[in-house]
PDB file of all heavy atoms in Angstrom:
ATOM      1  N   GLY N  54     -26.689  18.045 -13.547  1.00 97.00           N
ATOM      2  CA  GLY N  54     -26.311  16.694 -13.257  1.00 97.00           C
ATOM      3  C   GLY N  54     -27.268  15.665 -13.782  1.00 97.00           C
ATOM      4  O   GLY N  54     -26.895  14.615 -14.337  1.00 97.00           O
ATOM      5  N   VAL N  55     -28.582  15.976 -13.648  1.00 98.00           N
ATOM      6  CA  VAL N  55     -29.594  15.088 -14.179  1.00 98.00           C
ATOM      7  C   VAL N  55     -29.506  15.017 -15.700  1.00 98.00           C
ATOM      8  O   VAL N  55     -29.637  13.954 -16.322  1.00 98.00           O
ATOM      9  CB  VAL N  55     -31.019  15.536 -13.754  1.00 98.00           C
ATOM     10  CG1 VAL N  55     -32.081  14.720 -14.423  1.00 98.00           C
ATOM     11  CG2 VAL N  55     -31.135  15.440 -12.233  1.00 98.00           C
ATOM     12  N   ALA N  56     -29.292  16.181 -16.335  1.00 98.00           N
ATOM     13  CA  ALA N  56     -29.184  16.230 -17.801  1.00 98.00           C
ATOM     14  C   ALA N  56     -27.993  15.354 -18.271  1.00 98.00           C
ATOM     15  O   ALA N  56     -28.118  14.602 -19.247  1.00 98.00           O
ATOM     16  CB  ALA N  56     -28.999  17.661 -18.270  1.00 98.00           C
ATOM     17  N   ALA N  57     -26.862  15.439 -17.567  1.00 98.00           N
ATOM     18  CA  ALA N  57     -25.727  14.634 -17.920  1.00 98.00           C
ATOM     19  C   ALA N  57     -26.007  13.167 -17.705  1.00 98.00           C
ATOM     20  O   ALA N  57     -25.648  12.306 -18.527  1.00 98.00           O
ATOM     21  CB  ALA N  57     -24.505  15.061 -17.085  1.00 98.00           C
ATOM     22  N   GLY N  58     -26.708  12.813 -16.630  1.00 98.00           N
ATOM     23  CA  GLY N  58     -27.039  11.419 -16.363  1.00 98.00           C
ATOM     24  C   GLY N  58     -27.952  10.859 -17.442  1.00 98.00           C
ATOM     25  O   GLY N  58     -27.742   9.712 -17.883  1.00 98.00           O
ATOM     26  N   LEU N  59     -28.964  11.629 -17.873  1.00 98.00           N
ATOM     27  CA  LEU N  59     -29.815  11.176 -18.935  1.00 98.00           C
ATOM     28  C   LEU N  59     -29.052  10.997 -20.243  1.00 98.00           C
ATOM     29  O   LEU N  59     -29.298  10.058 -21.003  1.00 98.00           O
ATOM     30  CB  LEU N  59     -30.965  12.168 -19.109  1.00 98.00           C
ATOM     31  CG  LEU N  59     -32.064  12.178 -18.038  1.00 98.00           C
ATOM     32  CD1 LEU N  59     -32.944  13.422 -18.121  1.00 98.00           C
ATOM     33  CD2 LEU N  59     -32.905  10.900 -18.125  1.00 98.00           C
ATOM     34  N   ALA N  60     -28.077  11.905 -20.479  1.00 98.00           N
ATOM     35  CA  ALA N  60     -27.289  11.787 -21.716  1.00 98.00           C
ATOM     36  C   ALA N  60     -26.468  10.511 -21.712  1.00 98.00           C
ATOM     37  O   ALA N  60     -26.281   9.895 -22.763  1.00 98.00           O
ATOM     38  CB  ALA N  60     -26.389  13.019 -21.857  1.00 98.00           C
ATOM     39  N   ILE N  61     -25.960  10.135 -20.558  1.00 98.00           N
ATOM     40  CA  ILE N  61     -25.185   8.911 -20.460  1.00 98.00           C
ATOM     41  C   ILE N  61     -25.995   7.705 -20.855  1.00 98.00           C
ATOM     42  O   ILE N  61     -25.481   6.675 -21.393  1.00 98.00           O
ATOM     43  CB  ILE N  61     -24.590   8.765 -19.055  1.00 98.00           C
ATOM     44  CG1 ILE N  61     -23.503   9.830 -18.852  1.00 98.00           C
ATOM     45  CG2 ILE N  61     -23.989   7.370 -18.825  1.00 98.00           C
ATOM     46  CD1 ILE N  61     -22.996   9.929 -17.408  1.00 98.00           C
ATOM     47  N   THR N  62     -27.310   7.741 -20.649  1.00 97.00           N
ATOM     48  CA  THR N  62     -28.187   6.610 -20.986  1.00 97.00           C
ATOM     49  C   THR N  62     -28.609   6.636 -22.453  1.00 97.00           C
ATOM     50  O   THR N  62     -29.370   5.774 -22.907  1.00 97.00           O
ATOM     51  CB  THR N  62     -29.445   6.637 -20.119  1.00 97.00           C
ATOM     52  OG1 THR N  62     -30.307   7.724 -20.528  1.00 97.00           O
ATOM     53  CG2 THR N  62     -29.134   6.738 -18.659  1.00 97.00           C
ATOM     54  N   GLY N  63     -28.128   7.640 -23.217  1.00 98.00           N
ATOM     55  CA  GLY N  63     -28.446   7.696 -24.639  1.00 98.00           C
ATOM     56  C   GLY N  63     -29.415   8.792 -24.999  1.00 98.00           C
ATOM     57  O   GLY N  63     -29.748   8.962 -26.215  1.00 98.00           O
ATOM     58  N   LYS N  64     -29.894   9.571 -24.057  1.00 98.00           N
ATOM     59  CA  LYS N  64     -30.807  10.682 -24.357  1.00 98.00           C
ATOM     60  C   LYS N  64     -30.031  11.911 -24.815  1.00 98.00           C
ATOM     61  O   LYS N  64     -28.839  12.068 -24.536  1.00 98.00           O
ATOM     62  CB  LYS N  64     -31.632  11.020 -23.147  1.00 98.00           C
ATOM     63  CG  LYS N  64     -32.445   9.875 -22.576  1.00 98.00           C
ATOM     64  CD  LYS N  64     -33.418   9.331 -23.611  1.00 98.00           C
ATOM     65  CE  LYS N  64     -34.279   8.212 -22.999  1.00 98.00           C
ATOM     66  NZ  LYS N  64     -35.171   7.599 -24.013  1.00 98.00           N
ATOM     67  N   ILE N  65     -30.755  12.778 -25.534  1.00 98.00           N
ATOM     68  CA  ILE N  65     -30.206  14.088 -25.952  1.00 98.00           C
ATOM     69  C   ILE N  65     -30.851  15.114 -25.052  1.00 98.00           C
ATOM     70  O   ILE N  65     -32.052  15.384 -25.198  1.00 98.00           O
ATOM     71  CB  ILE N  65     -30.504  14.370 -27.437  1.00 98.00           C
ATOM     72  CG1 ILE N  65     -29.914  13.285 -28.282  1.00 98.00           C
ATOM     73  CG2 ILE N  65     -29.953  15.762 -27.805  1.00 98.00           C
ATOM     74  CD1 ILE N  65     -30.392  13.329 -29.762  1.00 98.00           C
ATOM     75  N   SER N  66     -30.103  15.614 -24.102  1.00 98.00           N
ATOM     76  CA  SER N  66     -30.669  16.482 -23.043  1.00 98.00           C
ATOM     77  C   SER N  66     -30.596  17.941 -23.391  1.00 98.00           C
ATOM     78  O   SER N  66     -29.508  18.459 -23.681  1.00 98.00           O
ATOM     79  CB  SER N  66     -29.922  16.209 -21.731  1.00 98.00           C
ATOM     80  OG  SER N  66     -30.047  14.869 -21.316  1.00 98.00           O
ATOM     81  N   PHE N  67     -31.735  18.626 -23.294  1.00 98.00           N
ATOM     82  CA  PHE N  67     -31.803  20.072 -23.397  1.00 98.00           C
ATOM     83  C   PHE N  67     -32.121  20.644 -21.992  1.00 98.00           C
ATOM     84  O   PHE N  67     -33.192  20.391 -21.464  1.00 98.00           O
ATOM     85  CB  PHE N  67     -32.900  20.524 -24.379  1.00 98.00           C
ATOM     86  CG  PHE N  67     -32.478  20.433 -25.814  1.00 98.00           C
ATOM     87  CD1 PHE N  67     -32.427  19.229 -26.479  1.00 98.00           C
ATOM     88  CD2 PHE N  67     -32.165  21.565 -26.536  1.00 98.00           C
ATOM     89  CE1 PHE N  67     -32.067  19.145 -27.811  1.00 98.00           C
ATOM     90  CE2 PHE N  67     -31.792  21.513 -27.863  1.00 98.00           C
ATOM     91  CZ  PHE N  67     -31.768  20.294 -28.510  1.00 98.00           C
ATOM     92  N   ALA N  68     -31.145  21.348 -21.432  1.00 98.00           N
ATOM     93  CA  ALA N  68     -31.326  21.908 -20.094  1.00 98.00           C
ATOM     94  C   ALA N  68     -31.447  23.403 -20.184  1.00 98.00           C
ATOM     95  O   ALA N  68     -30.516  24.098 -20.607  1.00 98.00           O
ATOM     96  CB  ALA N  68     -30.157  21.549 -19.204  1.00 98.00           C
ATOM     97  N   GLY N  69     -32.650  23.946 -19.820  1.00 98.00           N
ATOM     98  CA  GLY N  69     -32.952  25.338 -20.077  1.00 98.00           C
ATOM     99  C   GLY N  69     -33.274  26.172 -18.860  1.00 98.00           C
ATOM    100  O   GLY N  69     -33.993  25.752 -17.955  1.00 98.00           O
ATOM    101  N   THR N  70     -32.732  27.371 -18.840  1.00 98.00           N
ATOM    102  CA  THR N  70     -33.065  28.395 -17.831  1.00 98.00           C
ATOM    103  C   THR N  70     -32.514  29.750 -18.336  1.00 98.00           C
ATOM    104  O   THR N  70     -32.059  29.834 -19.460  1.00 98.00           O
ATOM    105  CB  THR N  70     -32.502  28.017 -16.464  1.00 98.00           C
ATOM    106  OG1 THR N  70     -32.914  28.987 -15.489  1.00 98.00           O
ATOM    107  CG2 THR N  70     -30.969  27.929 -16.454  1.00 98.00           C
ATOM    108  N   PHE N  71     -32.577  30.783 -17.512  1.00 97.00           N
ATOM    109  CA  PHE N  71     -32.005  32.057 -17.904  1.00 97.00           C
ATOM    110  C   PHE N  71     -30.491  31.922 -18.040  1.00 97.00           C
ATOM    111  O   PHE N  71     -29.839  31.151 -17.314  1.00 97.00           O
ATOM    112  CB  PHE N  71     -32.323  33.126 -16.855  1.00 97.00           C
ATOM    113  CG  PHE N  71     -33.762  33.553 -16.807  1.00 97.00           C
ATOM    114  CD1 PHE N  71     -34.183  34.504 -15.907  1.00 97.00           C
ATOM    115  CD2 PHE N  71     -34.699  33.037 -17.696  1.00 97.00           C
ATOM    116  CE1 PHE N  71     -35.504  34.913 -15.849  1.00 97.00           C
ATOM    117  CE2 PHE N  71     -36.016  33.435 -17.628  1.00 97.00           C
ATOM    118  CZ  PHE N  71     -36.424  34.398 -16.723  1.00 97.00           C
ATOM    119  N   ALA N  72     -29.879  32.705 -18.934  1.00 97.00           N
ATOM    120  CA  ALA N  72     -28.480  32.579 -19.213  1.00 97.00           C
ATOM    121  C   ALA N  72     -27.593  32.796 -18.002  1.00 97.00           C
ATOM    122  O   ALA N  72     -26.587  32.142 -17.824  1.00 97.00           O
ATOM    123  CB  ALA N  72     -28.082  33.585 -20.310  1.00 97.00           C
ATOM    124  N   GLY N  73     -28.003  33.717 -17.103  1.00 95.00           N
ATOM    125  CA  GLY N  73     -27.228  33.960 -15.905  1.00 95.00           C
ATOM    126  C   GLY N  73     -27.194  32.759 -15.002  1.00 95.00           C
ATOM    127  O   GLY N  73     -26.163  32.459 -14.341  1.00 95.00           O
ATOM    128  N   PHE N  74     -28.314  32.026 -14.951  1.00 96.00           N
ATOM    129  CA  PHE N  74     -28.357  30.825 -14.107  1.00 96.00           C
ATOM    130  C   PHE N  74     -27.782  29.616 -14.817  1.00 96.00           C
ATOM    131  O   PHE N  74     -27.317  28.666 -14.157  1.00 96.00           O
ATOM    132  CB  PHE N  74     -29.824  30.535 -13.731  1.00 96.00           C
ATOM    133  CG  PHE N  74     -30.551  31.691 -13.139  1.00 96.00           C
ATOM    134  CD1 PHE N  74     -31.948  31.815 -13.322  1.00 96.00           C
ATOM    135  CD2 PHE N  74     -29.912  32.688 -12.418  1.00 96.00           C
ATOM    136  CE1 PHE N  74     -32.664  32.874 -12.787  1.00 96.00           C
ATOM    137  CE2 PHE N  74     -30.614  33.747 -11.879  1.00 96.00           C
ATOM    138  CZ  PHE N  74     -31.969  33.853 -12.077  1.00 96.00           C
ATOM    139  N   ALA N  75     -27.824  29.619 -16.136  1.00 97.00           N
ATOM    140  CA  ALA N  75     -27.369  28.450 -16.890  1.00 97.00           C
ATOM    141  C   ALA N  75     -25.876  28.368 -17.041  1.00 97.00           C
ATOM    142  O   ALA N  75     -25.311  27.359 -17.480  1.00 97.00           O
ATOM    143  CB  ALA N  75     -27.985  28.525 -18.312  1.00 97.00           C
ATOM    144  N   THR N  76     -25.150  29.435 -16.636  1.00 97.00           N
ATOM    145  CA  THR N  76     -23.708  29.473 -16.813  1.00 97.00           C
ATOM    146  C   THR N  76     -22.985  29.731 -15.471  1.00 97.00           C
ATOM    147  O   THR N  76     -22.459  28.843 -14.857  1.00 97.00           O
ATOM    148  CB  THR N  76     -23.301  30.494 -17.844  1.00 97.00           C
ATOM    149  OG1 THR N  76     -23.815  31.783 -17.477  1.00 97.00           O
ATOM    150  CG2 THR N  76     -23.821  30.146 -19.214  1.00 97.00           C
ATOM    151  N   GLY N  77     -23.068  30.977 -14.997  1.00 93.00           N
ATOM    152  CA  GLY N  77     -22.297  31.354 -13.820  1.00 93.00           C
ATOM    153  C   GLY N  77     -22.735  30.543 -12.565  1.00 93.00           C
ATOM    154  O   GLY N  77     -21.853  30.150 -11.773  1.00 93.00           O
ATOM    155  N   ARG N  78     -23.987  30.321 -12.398  1.00 95.00           N
ATOM    156  CA  ARG N  78     -24.475  29.647 -11.192  1.00 95.00           C
ATOM    157  C   ARG N  78     -24.060  28.181 -11.136  1.00 95.00           C
ATOM    158  O   ARG N  78     -23.949  27.605 -10.055  1.00 95.00           O
ATOM    159  CB  ARG N  78     -25.983  29.794 -11.067  1.00 95.00           C
ATOM    160  CG  ARG N  78     -26.604  29.118  -9.846  1.00 95.00           C
ATOM    161  CD  ARG N  78     -28.064  29.458  -9.703  1.00 95.00           C
ATOM    162  NE  ARG N  78     -28.261  30.895  -9.295  1.00 95.00           N
ATOM    163  CZ  ARG N  78     -29.460  31.390  -9.030  1.00 95.00           C
ATOM    164  NH1 ARG N  78     -30.543  30.680  -9.108  1.00 95.00           N
ATOM    165  NH2 ARG N  78     -29.568  32.673  -8.702  1.00 95.00           N
ATOM    166  N   VAL N  79     -23.850  27.550 -12.303  1.00 97.00           N
ATOM    167  CA  VAL N  79     -23.616  26.120 -12.335  1.00 97.00           C
ATOM    168  C   VAL N  79     -22.346  25.773 -13.071  1.00 97.00           C
ATOM    169  O   VAL N  79     -22.208  24.684 -13.651  1.00 97.00           O
ATOM    170  CB  VAL N  79     -24.826  25.406 -12.987  1.00 97.00           C
ATOM    171  CG1 VAL N  79     -26.058  25.553 -12.157  1.00 97.00           C
ATOM    172  CG2 VAL N  79     -25.114  25.972 -14.409  1.00 97.00           C
ATOM    173  N   TYR N  80     -21.360  26.654 -13.032  1.00 97.00           N
ATOM    174  CA  TYR N  80     -20.177  26.463 -13.854  1.00 97.00           C
ATOM    175  C   TYR N  80     -19.419  25.184 -13.505  1.00 97.00           C
ATOM    176  O   TYR N  80     -18.942  24.469 -14.403  1.00 97.00           O
ATOM    177  CB  TYR N  80     -19.239  27.666 -13.722  1.00 97.00           C
ATOM    178  CG  TYR N  80     -18.226  27.767 -14.826  1.00 97.00           C
ATOM    179  CD1 TYR N  80     -18.614  28.118 -16.132  1.00 97.00           C
ATOM    180  CD2 TYR N  80     -16.889  27.559 -14.612  1.00 97.00           C
ATOM    181  CE1 TYR N  80     -17.726  28.236 -17.174  1.00 97.00           C
ATOM    182  CE2 TYR N  80     -15.947  27.638 -15.652  1.00 97.00           C
ATOM    183  CZ  TYR N  80     -16.389  27.987 -16.919  1.00 97.00           C
ATOM    184  OH  TYR N  80     -15.481  28.098 -17.929  1.00 97.00           O
ATOM    185  N   ASP N  81     -19.318  24.863 -12.246  1.00 97.00           N
ATOM    186  CA  ASP N  81     -18.595  23.651 -11.857  1.00 97.00           C
ATOM    187  C   ASP N  81     -19.267  22.384 -12.418  1.00 97.00           C
ATOM    188  O   ASP N  81     -18.617  21.504 -12.944  1.00 97.00           O
ATOM    189  CB  ASP N  81     -18.504  23.561 -10.346  1.00 97.00           C
ATOM    190  CG  ASP N  81     -17.715  22.316  -9.912  1.00 97.00           C
ATOM    191  OD1 ASP N  81     -16.553  22.204 -10.269  1.00 97.00           O
ATOM    192  OD2 ASP N  81     -18.302  21.470  -9.202  1.00 97.00           O
ATOM    193  N   GLN N  82     -20.613  22.352 -12.324  1.00 97.00           N
ATOM    194  CA  GLN N  82     -21.323  21.181 -12.839  1.00 97.00           C
ATOM    195  C   GLN N  82     -21.190  21.090 -14.352  1.00 97.00           C
ATOM    196  O   GLN N  82     -21.015  19.975 -14.885  1.00 97.00           O
ATOM    197  CB  GLN N  82     -22.820  21.280 -12.477  1.00 97.00           C
ATOM    198  CG  GLN N  82     -23.114  20.952 -11.019  1.00 97.00           C
ATOM    199  CD  GLN N  82     -22.672  22.058 -10.064  1.00 97.00           C
ATOM    200  OE1 GLN N  82     -22.528  23.209 -10.448  1.00 97.00           O
ATOM    201  NE2 GLN N  82     -22.498  21.689  -8.817  1.00 97.00           N
ATOM    202  N   ILE N  83     -21.239  22.219 -15.073  1.00 98.00           N
ATOM    203  CA  ILE N  83     -21.030  22.197 -16.502  1.00 98.00           C
ATOM    204  C   ILE N  83     -19.627  21.707 -16.844  1.00 98.00           C
ATOM    205  O   ILE N  83     -19.421  20.857 -17.710  1.00 98.00           O
ATOM    206  CB  ILE N  83     -21.281  23.583 -17.115  1.00 98.00           C
ATOM    207  CG1 ILE N  83     -22.781  23.935 -16.985  1.00 98.00           C
ATOM    208  CG2 ILE N  83     -20.887  23.607 -18.569  1.00 98.00           C
ATOM    209  CD1 ILE N  83     -23.085  25.363 -17.393  1.00 98.00           C
ATOM    210  N   ARG N  84     -18.657  22.244 -16.139  1.00 98.00           N
ATOM    211  CA  ARG N  84     -17.263  21.872 -16.415  1.00 98.00           C
ATOM    212  C   ARG N  84     -17.036  20.388 -16.215  1.00 98.00           C
ATOM    213  O   ARG N  84     -16.413  19.725 -17.059  1.00 98.00           O
ATOM    214  CB  ARG N  84     -16.317  22.690 -15.509  1.00 98.00           C
ATOM    215  CG  ARG N  84     -14.847  22.438 -15.754  1.00 98.00           C
ATOM    216  CD  ARG N  84     -13.950  23.240 -14.823  1.00 98.00           C
ATOM    217  NE  ARG N  84     -12.555  23.098 -15.179  1.00 98.00           N
ATOM    218  CZ  ARG N  84     -11.767  22.109 -14.732  1.00 98.00           C
ATOM    219  NH1 ARG N  84     -12.283  21.194 -13.935  1.00 98.00           N
ATOM    220  NH2 ARG N  84     -10.511  22.038 -15.115  1.00 98.00           N
ATOM    221  N   GLN N  85     -17.510  19.860 -15.100  1.00 98.00           N
ATOM    222  CA  GLN N  85     -17.170  18.468 -14.768  1.00 98.00           C
ATOM    223  C   GLN N  85     -18.089  17.479 -15.476  1.00 98.00           C
ATOM    224  O   GLN N  85     -17.633  16.480 -16.073  1.00 98.00           O
ATOM    225  CB  GLN N  85     -17.329  18.265 -13.245  1.00 98.00           C
ATOM    226  CG  GLN N  85     -16.471  19.184 -12.404  1.00 98.00           C
ATOM    227  CD  GLN N  85     -14.971  18.931 -12.597  1.00 98.00           C
ATOM    228  OE1 GLN N  85     -14.548  18.005 -13.225  1.00 98.00           O
ATOM    229  NE2 GLN N  85     -14.139  19.811 -12.024  1.00 98.00           N
ATOM    230  N   SER N  86     -19.422  17.698 -15.419  1.00 98.00           N
ATOM    231  CA  SER N  86     -20.380  16.706 -15.876  1.00 98.00           C
ATOM    232  C   SER N  86     -20.729  16.828 -17.342  1.00 98.00           C
ATOM    233  O   SER N  86     -21.259  15.838 -17.933  1.00 98.00           O
ATOM    234  CB  SER N  86     -21.641  16.769 -15.015  1.00 98.00           C
ATOM    235  OG  SER N  86     -21.370  16.523 -13.668  1.00 98.00           O
ATOM    236  N   VAL N  87     -20.503  17.974 -17.918  1.00 98.00           N
ATOM    237  CA  VAL N  87     -20.912  18.186 -19.320  1.00 98.00           C
ATOM    238  C   VAL N  87     -19.673  18.313 -20.220  1.00 98.00           C
ATOM    239  O   VAL N  87     -19.443  17.474 -21.094  1.00 98.00           O
ATOM    240  CB  VAL N  87     -21.821  19.411 -19.465  1.00 98.00           C
ATOM    241  CG1 VAL N  87     -22.181  19.658 -20.895  1.00 98.00           C
ATOM    242  CG2 VAL N  87     -23.065  19.258 -18.607  1.00 98.00           C
ATOM    243  N   ALA N  88     -18.829  19.349 -20.034  1.00 98.00           N
ATOM    244  CA  ALA N  88     -17.692  19.582 -20.918  1.00 98.00           C
ATOM    245  C   ALA N  88     -16.626  18.520 -20.761  1.00 98.00           C
ATOM    246  O   ALA N  88     -16.212  17.903 -21.752  1.00 98.00           O
ATOM    247  CB  ALA N  88     -17.123  20.975 -20.669  1.00 98.00           C
ATOM    248  N   TYR N  89     -16.107  18.342 -19.556  1.00 98.00           N
ATOM    249  CA  TYR N  89     -15.055  17.363 -19.334  1.00 98.00           C
ATOM    250  C   TYR N  89     -15.504  15.952 -19.708  1.00 98.00           C
ATOM    251  O   TYR N  89     -14.763  15.173 -20.317  1.00 98.00           O
ATOM    252  CB  TYR N  89     -14.598  17.387 -17.864  1.00 98.00           C
ATOM    253  CG  TYR N  89     -13.605  16.337 -17.528  1.00 98.00           C
ATOM    254  CD1 TYR N  89     -12.280  16.378 -18.009  1.00 98.00           C
ATOM    255  CD2 TYR N  89     -13.974  15.245 -16.707  1.00 98.00           C
ATOM    256  CE1 TYR N  89     -11.391  15.390 -17.674  1.00 98.00           C
ATOM    257  CE2 TYR N  89     -13.073  14.267 -16.384  1.00 98.00           C
ATOM    258  CZ  TYR N  89     -11.768  14.324 -16.846  1.00 98.00           C
ATOM    259  OH  TYR N  89     -10.871  13.337 -16.553  1.00 98.00           O
ATOM    260  N   SER N  90     -16.742  15.615 -19.363  1.00 98.00           N
ATOM    261  CA  SER N  90     -17.268  14.275 -19.615  1.00 98.00           C
ATOM    262  C   SER N  90     -17.829  14.116 -21.061  1.00 98.00           C
ATOM    263  O   SER N  90     -18.212  13.007 -21.398  1.00 98.00           O
ATOM    264  CB  SER N  90     -18.372  13.985 -18.607  1.00 98.00           C
ATOM    265  OG  SER N  90     -17.888  14.060 -17.288  1.00 98.00           O
ATOM    266  N   ARG N  91     -17.860  15.201 -21.809  1.00 98.00           N
ATOM    267  CA  ARG N  91     -18.330  15.164 -23.195  1.00 98.00           C
ATOM    268  C   ARG N  91     -19.724  14.551 -23.297  1.00 98.00           C
ATOM    269  O   ARG N  91     -20.023  13.748 -24.216  1.00 98.00           O
ATOM    270  CB  ARG N  91     -17.345  14.423 -24.097  1.00 98.00           C
ATOM    271  CG  ARG N  91     -16.016  15.102 -24.235  1.00 98.00           C
ATOM    272  CD  ARG N  91     -15.191  14.527 -25.380  1.00 98.00           C
ATOM    273  NE  ARG N  91     -13.918  15.115 -25.477  1.00 98.00           N
ATOM    274  CZ  ARG N  91     -13.047  14.958 -26.507  1.00 98.00           C
ATOM    275  NH1 ARG N  91     -13.405  14.209 -27.527  1.00 98.00           N
ATOM    276  NH2 ARG N  91     -11.901  15.594 -26.516  1.00 98.00           N
ATOM    277  N   THR N  92     -20.606  14.876 -22.379  1.00 98.00           N
ATOM    278  CA  THR N  92     -21.953  14.348 -22.412  1.00 98.00           C
ATOM    279  C   THR N  92     -22.784  15.117 -23.447  1.00 98.00           C
ATOM    280  O   THR N  92     -22.502  16.294 -23.720  1.00 98.00           O
ATOM    281  CB  THR N  92     -22.594  14.401 -21.041  1.00 98.00           C
ATOM    282  OG1 THR N  92     -22.472  15.677 -20.490  1.00 98.00           O
ATOM    283  CG2 THR N  92     -22.022  13.352 -20.115  1.00 98.00           C
ATOM    284  N   ASN N  93     -23.812  14.474 -23.963  1.00 98.00           N
ATOM    285  CA  ASN N  93     -24.605  15.063 -25.039  1.00 98.00           C
ATOM    286  C   ASN N  93     -25.694  15.940 -24.447  1.00 98.00           C
ATOM    287  O   ASN N  93     -26.888  15.697 -24.593  1.00 98.00           O
ATOM    288  CB  ASN N  93     -25.231  13.947 -25.868  1.00 98.00           C
ATOM    289  CG  ASN N  93     -25.603  14.429 -27.260  1.00 98.00           C
ATOM    290  OD1 ASN N  93     -25.245  15.498 -27.718  1.00 98.00           O
ATOM    291  ND2 ASN N  93     -26.392  13.609 -27.950  1.00 98.00           N
ATOM    292  N   VAL N  94     -25.195  17.065 -23.818  1.00 98.00           N
ATOM    293  CA  VAL N  94     -26.118  17.994 -23.135  1.00 98.00           C
ATOM    294  C   VAL N  94     -26.109  19.329 -23.885  1.00 98.00           C
ATOM    295  O   VAL N  94     -25.053  19.847 -24.215  1.00 98.00           O
ATOM    296  CB  VAL N  94     -25.667  18.203 -21.668  1.00 98.00           C
ATOM    297  CG1 VAL N  94     -26.537  19.295 -21.001  1.00 98.00           C
ATOM    298  CG2 VAL N  94     -25.790  16.918 -20.874  1.00 98.00           C
ATOM    299  N   LYS N  95     -27.289  19.855 -24.127  1.00 98.00           N
ATOM    300  CA  LYS N  95     -27.431  21.149 -24.769  1.00 98.00           C
ATOM    301  C   LYS N  95     -27.887  22.142 -23.705  1.00 98.00           C
ATOM    302  O   LYS N  95     -29.025  22.017 -23.170  1.00 98.00           O
ATOM    303  CB  LYS N  95     -28.439  21.093 -25.918  1.00 98.00           C
ATOM    304  CG  LYS N  95     -28.384  19.822 -26.781  1.00 98.00           C
ATOM    305  CD  LYS N  95     -27.024  19.534 -27.351  1.00 98.00           C
ATOM    306  CE  LYS N  95     -27.037  18.199 -28.037  1.00 98.00           C
ATOM    307  NZ  LYS N  95     -25.713  17.835 -28.570  1.00 98.00           N
ATOM    308  N   ILE N  96     -27.044  23.080 -23.369  1.00 98.00           N
ATOM    309  CA  ILE N  96     -27.390  24.108 -22.381  1.00 98.00           C
ATOM    310  C   ILE N  96     -28.075  25.251 -23.172  1.00 98.00           C
ATOM    311  O   ILE N  96     -27.438  25.903 -24.013  1.00 98.00           O
ATOM    312  CB  ILE N  96     -26.156  24.609 -21.659  1.00 98.00           C
ATOM    313  CG1 ILE N  96     -25.475  23.453 -20.945  1.00 98.00           C
ATOM    314  CG2 ILE N  96     -26.493  25.733 -20.675  1.00 98.00           C
ATOM    315  CD1 ILE N  96     -24.019  23.706 -20.573  1.00 98.00           C
TER     316      ILE N  96
END
């Protein structure tokens, strides 16, 4: 969510963690705040 918020302000956000945590654990946030919203976030 923070990464998406920073991207909305014009930043290029790199959000990093282990792959298991970066996808399955946060799928709803990625779907809504990153993919659906087309924010400039790099997971």
